[in-house]
Amino acid sequence: MSRNYFFLFFLFLCLILSAEARAPFACDPRNGLTRSMRFCKVNLPIKVRVQDLIGRLNLQEKIRLLVNNAAGVPRFGIQGYEWWSEALHGVSDVGPGTKFQGAFPGATSFPQVITSAASFNATLWQAIGEVVSDEARAMYNGGTAGLTYWSPNVNIFRDPRWGRGQETPGEDPFLAAKYASSYVQGLQGHYNKNRLKVAACCKHYTAYDLDNWNGIDRYHFNARVSKQDLEDTYNVPFKACVEEGQVASVMCSYNQVNGKPTCADVDLLRNTIRGQWRLNGYIVSDCDSVGVMYDSQHYTRTPEEAAADTIKAGLDLDCGPFLAVHTEGAITKGLLTEADVNQALTNTITVQMRLGMFDGEPSAQPFGNLGPKDVCTPAHQDLALQTAHQGIVLLQNRPGSLPLSADQHPTIAVIGPNADATVTMIGNYAGVACGYTSPLQGISRYAKTIHEAGCIGVACNSNQQFGAAISAATHADATVLVMGLDQSIEAEALDRKSVLLPGHQQELISRVAMASRGPTILVLMCGGPVDVSFAKNDPKISAILWIGYPGQAGGTAIADVLFGTTNPGGKLPMTWYPQDYVSKISMADLAMRANPARGYPGRTYRFYKGPVVFPFGFGLSYTSFTHSLAQAPTKMMLALKNQIPNTNISKLHTNNAIRVLHTNCDSTPSLSLHIDVTNMGKMDGSHTVLVYSTPPNGAQSTEKHLIGFEKVHVSAGSQQRVRMNLHVCKHLSRADEFGIRRISMGEHIIHIGYDLKHQISVQVDLGN
Ligand SMILES: *[C@@H]1O[C@H](CO)[C@@H](O)[C@H](O)[C@H]1NC(C)=O
Ligand SMILES: *[C@@H]1O[C@H](CO)[C@@H](O)[C@H](O)[C@H]1NC(C)=O
């Protein structure tokens, strides 16, 4: 018996030790053979080391490195590597590269991205990335995670039904671009161009935002996208991710764009991501998408053609086995050369070198000291809570409703299928949280609670439990209904048909509100928007909050907002449409712009002008803020490029708009705005200044587009100045129908929030 115990103890010790020291991936200092090889020499330039290694490998070895489950090369002391890990909003175990086990049972689970996006706080997004990569490095050191994370998802949340909209930063390209570059910089830890803390990946390039709707699925979907929409909507976050975020990877999507699978499109990959945006990193396929292109889309006649087409288009790594199986055949058939394969490997191995994977002992490297003690720390968990605080959006608050007070509301009825939610709060692409505080637990810290689910699950197919819920509301001083969705309604591979609340939820809400003795607060836990017009118009419903999927500390954050410990300051990152809108528009239609001729209403606040339930950028506070403009130019002169001074200027014009390429952006002064924000109320709070622009009439579009935002904390009764430096070329240009960026001459209107407008006249400096 005791011997058995001893054995178990010994095993346990081994487990702990093995979790704390990962063997070197390559270039083990104890390996006498590789020690002298150039690829292991830390002091040589990475370029030299990569070429040295590739020069030593034979074709079969190379081909086994083209897939996520890359084989080891034992004769050079190189281990196998699983490229697929995920860290969308915390280290996740969705990919096979990461496992929660041993000394790493969980990781900090931040709110789902749509909730973090609602904070409109770029500092926060970067801070989250820093925490997530600390935990990822710690888990890598312990041998339970990789270093290559296929996050974030920066597709535009174009249609409210999309099941993966929750994973994204919302519908606006400027917002998504800022999110992408901030989160990626946090993850990758930009302390040195040649080093990466972890490698992030912006996905899914491009125009991928339909999973499974009305018989159309992402594996067969051909997204028809105009050059204009590609340039000023779908590609915007990817461009920023590469150029500003300096991301180490981009993932191409399952779908086709204008008849071509994205992973086989040389224009999209080699010419755009690598050529124009200058990606320093690797391009990876979505999982099995090379196989999908051959098996499901029948895009090529043979599998070898699919292998050759993708690698030649610029793909470097296949998530899936396809390239390991068919690349050699493609070379034999003369469709591809070994040099093409070398090029792909140069891109992947360079990233591994920048990660330090060829630098020997992990413990001797930067971040080598991170371990179990650095995961789920109080500071990390507190940032998860702060993020939830900052992401909660107050949508309605009838006078005198919120905040509640423990004195006046000592007993709260907490009702609804999400009232005691835990795992639901972390959404998809999550991991195992450090722990949870459900809404019920959070509210219990402020008041006595009576809990009734009201429905069985969010599907809420029956009203059998309504009686108990109504009774609870009649016995409490206030009622909090926690309703909404979960992954059974909106998820990967599952788009919604309707944006109404499922089943009998609406009926439960109305009946409980009717019976409630005190104020009724509706809390919506869902990623995508819901049409809650009925609740907005019901005088018995005192307040409405949207919390997205608020992460592991969601319940604490909700309670802090309900009781006024925290003043909500989040704003909607997407439009909330009425059901009537979605019932008229096909999800498969990717056109952003409205087209009255075919009765097409357009998409997102930028182009859709019809009725909404709540608009993009909307969110209330317990205090009130006003803006005033302290400084702004009224005229901007654009300098033209030197090489075309005496050209007939009208040749540069189309609709009185000048190509950005023809302007000398560097010598055009920046557009400096100073905005004063005053907190007029009695409570301190944070406010996001949203700045939009509208180009002159008669230009490509007259809609307003977000061009800047800044969040400030303002104490009650005081004022803060926000300074923004915008740029004419970047922020006042629009894509024309050929996808060419132009700046319109004339009066541009700058909108600050809803209440302030300012005109700036943009003119060309002809230099005479
Ligand atoms: C510029 O070009 C237009 C159209 O080609 C022509 O009508 C106009 O006379 C030219 N102006 C000058 C100053 O050359
Ligand atoms: C933005 O987030 C950071 C990090 O949580 C926080 O310190 C800061 O106060 C936030 N800004 C505002 C204005 O709320």
Side-chain angles (χ1 to χ4, degrees):
M1 201 59 181
S2 70
R3 237 166 67 208
N4 269 348
Y5 258 110
F6 183 77
F7 180 70
L8 277 177
F9 178 71
F10 181 75
L11 253 180
F12 180 68
L13 248 176
C14 290
L15 236 152
I16 290 200
L17 286 177
S18 73
E20 282 189 349
R22 168 191 277 274
F25 165 73
C27 304
D28 189 331
R30 285 157 298 211
N31 184 330
L33 174 72
T34 56
R35 201 161 41 207
S36 60
M37 293 182 172
R38 284 160 77 82
F39 72 87
C40 289
K41 295 243 189 292
V42 179
N43 297 329
L44 289 176
I46 284 178
K47 217 175 148 176
V48 173
R49 299 173 70 193
V50 171
Q51 288 320 310
D52 176 69
L53 175 58
I54 292 176
R56 294 175 191 277
L57 303 176
N58 64 39
L59 183 62
Q60 286 68 36
E61 285 165 338
K62 290 176 186 175
I63 284 171
R64 288 293 288 113
L65 299 181
L66 290 171
V67 290
N68 65 301
N69 177 18
V73 188
R75 66 187 181 111
F76 294 125
I78 298 169
Q79 296 194 13
Y81 180 66
E82 174 53 68
W83 284 82
W84 182 4
S85 287
E86 304 271 354
L88 185 69
H89 52 109
V91 179
S92 160
D93 54 358
V94 167
T98 300
K99 297 209 161 40
F100 291 105
Q101 60 190 20
F104 299 96
T108 308
S109 224
F110 286 88
Q112 182 55 293
V113 176
I114 195 77
T115 307
S116 304
S119 75
F120 280 83
N121 183 344
T123 316
L124 174 65
W125 302 328
Q126 179 159 348
I128 297 171
E130 284 162 14
V131 164
V132 172
S133 55
D134 269 0
E135 299 197 349
R137 264 284 170 178
M139 289 181 69
Y140 173 76
N141 293 340
T144 68
L147 286 177
T148 45
Y149 290 86
W150 294 346
S151 309
N153 176 347
V154 298
N155 289 117
I156 294 296
F157 194 177
R158 159 191 67 96
D159 189 293
R161 291 163 286 195
W162 188 29
R164 304 188 71 176
Q166 59 179 306
E167 297 172 34
T168 76
E171 74 183 26
D172 181 73
F174 180 83
L175 170 63
K178 193 78 194 158
Y179 177 84
S181 58
S182 309
Y183 187 61
V184 165
Q185 287 187 355
L187 279 181
Q188 296 192 162
H190 285 261
Y191 57 106
N192 174 341
K193 183 170 159 297
N194 285 319
R195 304 293 304 194
L196 292 163
K197 188 177 177 190
V198 306
C201 171
C202 279
K203 66 190 186 184
H204 315 75
Y205 179 75
T206 187
Y208 162 73
D209 39 34
L210 176 150
D211 266 57
N212 192 347
W213 176 81
N214 204 24
I216 306 169
D217 71 52
R218 56 184 174 168
Y219 307 116
H220 300 88
F221 183 49
N222 175 18
R224 269 179 274 272
V225 190
S226 72
K227 290 202 161 92
Q228 189 174 30
D229 287 342
L230 206 57
E231 169 63 26
D232 75 2
T233 299
Y234 295 107
N235 280 356
V236 172
F238 292 96
K239 183 170 193 259
C241 182
V242 175
E243 291 185 344
E244 282 144 48
Q246 296 282 304
V247 79
S249 174
V250 174
M251 179 185 285
C252 48
S253 54
Y254 290 115
N255 57 289
Q256 302 188 345
V257 169
N258 299 327
K260 251 194 193 171
T262 59
C263 294
D265 191 327
V266 68
D267 272 329
L268 286 178
L269 305 191
R270 204 175 284 289
N271 298 348
T272 306
I273 303 180
R274 220 169 265 294
Q276 284 177 36
W277 304 342
R278 310 230 147 271
L279 171 72
N280 175 15
Y282 70 98
I283 300 178
V284 60
S285 73
D286 203 339
C287 294
D288 286 326
S289 70
V290 185
V292 162
M293 161 186 331
Y294 171 71
D295 299 324
S296 310
Q297 299 181 358
H298 309 293
Y299 181 71
T300 59
R301 277 185 306 112
T302 64
E304 290 78 17
E305 283 171 334
D309 281 4
T310 51
I311 293 175
K312 286 201 294 202
L315 189 74
D316 304 306
L317 186 74
D318 175 18
C319 177
F322 198 88
L323 289 187
V325 180
H326 298 293
T327 302
E328 193 168 351
I331 293 178
T332 311
K333 287 187 172 177
L335 302 169
L336 194 70
T337 65
E338 189 163 348
D340 295 320
V341 173
N342 291 348
Q343 191 51 59
L345 293 191
T346 302
N347 294 329
T348 50
I349 296 171
T350 299
V351 167
Q352 290 180 312
M353 295 240 178
R354 290 167 71 203
L355 286 163
M357 292 170 69
F358 286 84
D359 296 353
E361 260 343 318
S363 58
Q365 294 168 30
F367 313 110
N369 58 333
L370 294 171
K373 65 179 191 320
D374 301 294
V375 179
C376 291
T377 65
H380 293 182
Q381 298 198 56
D382 186 56
L383 192 65
L385 172 59
Q386 281 181 42
T387 308
H389 281 150
Q390 294 193 39
I392 292 178
V393 183
L394 179 62
L395 293 171
Q396 178 143 299
N397 192 13
R398 294 186 192 279
S401 303
L402 284 180
L404 301 172
S405 84
D407 292 341
Q408 282 181 297
H409 311 101
T411 303
I412 312 280
V414 186
I415 294 170
N418 282 336
D420 203 18
T422 54
V423 177
T424 297
M425 294 196 297
I426 62 179
N428 71 351
Y429 280 82
V432 175
C434 315
Y436 297 101
T437 307
S438 76
L440 178 65
Q441 289 168 329
I443 294 167
S444 304
R445 292 178 185 162
Y446 286 92
K448 187 171 168 290
T449 54
I450 316 173
H451 174 221
E452 287 296 336
C455 309
I456 302 167
V458 291
C460 199
N461 286 320
S462 119
N463 57 11
Q464 275 178 7
Q465 302 188 356
F466 284 16
I470 290 165
S471 158
T474 60
H475 290 98
D477 306 300
T479 300
V480 176
L481 283 149
V482 191
M483 310 298 288
L485 312 174
D486 65 17
Q487 303 300 311
S488 67
I489 307 282
E490 55 172 352
E492 181 163 16
L494 180 64
D495 299 323
R496 280 183 290 163
K497 288 185 183 64
S498 144
V499 293
L500 295 172
L501 286 168
H504 294 268
Q505 283 200 35
Q506 208 164 297
E507 184 192 341
L508 176 68
I509 296 166
S510 302
R511 287 180 58 189
V512 165
M514 184 65 84
S516 187
R517 186 145 63 86
T520 301
I521 320 302
L522 175 59
V523 176
L524 296 164
M525 186 184 291
C526 49
V530 283
D531 177 355
V532 287
S533 308
F534 79 97
K536 194 180 157 189
N537 300 327
D538 183 345
K540 285 290 291 171
I541 295 176
S542 324
I544 306 174
L545 289 168
W546 174 66
I547 59 172
Y549 294 118
Q552 62 171 46
T556 309
I558 295 163
D560 290 346
V561 167
L562 289 173
F563 286 90
T565 319
T566 295
N567 189 352
K571 292 190 183 290
L572 292 179
M574 75 297 204
T575 305
W576 286 39
Y577 301 90
Q579 171 60 24
D580 184 49
Y581 170 89
V582 300
S583 60
K584 283 187 190 141
I585 189 168
S586 162
M587 197 174 164
D589 197 326
L590 272 85
M592 293 300 298
R593 288 155 166 89
N595 184 345
R598 63 181 179 99
Y600 187 71
R603 294 185 178 276
T604 77
Y605 80 91
R606 290 158 66 223
F607 304 108
Y608 166 69
K609 298 296 154 198
V612 298
V613 183
F614 296 107
F616 173 88
F618 182 73
L620 304 168
S621 165
Y622 294 151
T623 184
S624 65
F625 298 96
T626 59
H627 300 121
S628 63
L629 201 56
Q631 183 191 308
T634 53
K635 189 170 169 180
M636 298 293 295
M637 295 303 279
L638 261 182
L640 292 181
K641 281 246 166 83
N642 284 337
Q643 51 280 34
I644 37 178
N646 45 15
T647 319
N648 183 334
I649 195 79
S650 71
K651 286 184 187 150
L652 304 174
H653 288 204
T654 299
N655 294 333
N656 205 26
I658 287 177
R659 272 186 181 223
V660 167
L661 268 179
H662 291 159
T663 61
N664 194 345
C665 289
D666 296 336
S667 72
T668 302
S670 68
L671 198 166
S672 159
L673 293 179
H674 293 187
I675 300 150
D676 287 332
V677 180
T678 309
N679 182 340
M680 310 287 284
K682 293 195 180 69
M683 202 186 267
D684 299 351
S686 283
H687 172 72
T688 301
V689 179
L690 296 170
V691 176
Y692 303 86
S693 80
T694 301
N697 281 336
Q700 336 300 334
S701 71
T702 52
E703 300 81 6
K704 62 176 194 176
H705 299 232
L706 188 67
I707 58 170
F709 61 86
E710 189 75 46
K711 191 171 203 177
V712 272
H713 186 83
V714 193
S715 349
S718 76
Q719 191 177 77
Q720 291 281 332
R721 179 160 294 181
V722 171
R723 293 176 177 83
M724 277 190 213
N725 273 323
L726 304 176
H727 206 279
V728 177
C729 292
K730 214 170 155 184
H731 297 111
L732 297 190
S733 64
R734 294 284 183 274
D736 68 13
E737 65 265 44
F738 307 105
I740 295 169
R741 281 210 171 257
R742 292 175 184 278
I743 306 161
S744 294
M745 299 300 103
E747 304 294 320
H748 290 249
I749 299 166
I750 306 292
H751 309 251
I752 296 142
Y754 299 109
D755 52 345
L756 209 59
K757 280 184 194 171
H758 175 74
Q759 273 200 1
I760 299 180
S761 168
V762 176
Q763 294 165 24
V764 169
D765 187 351
L766 289 172
N768 49 23

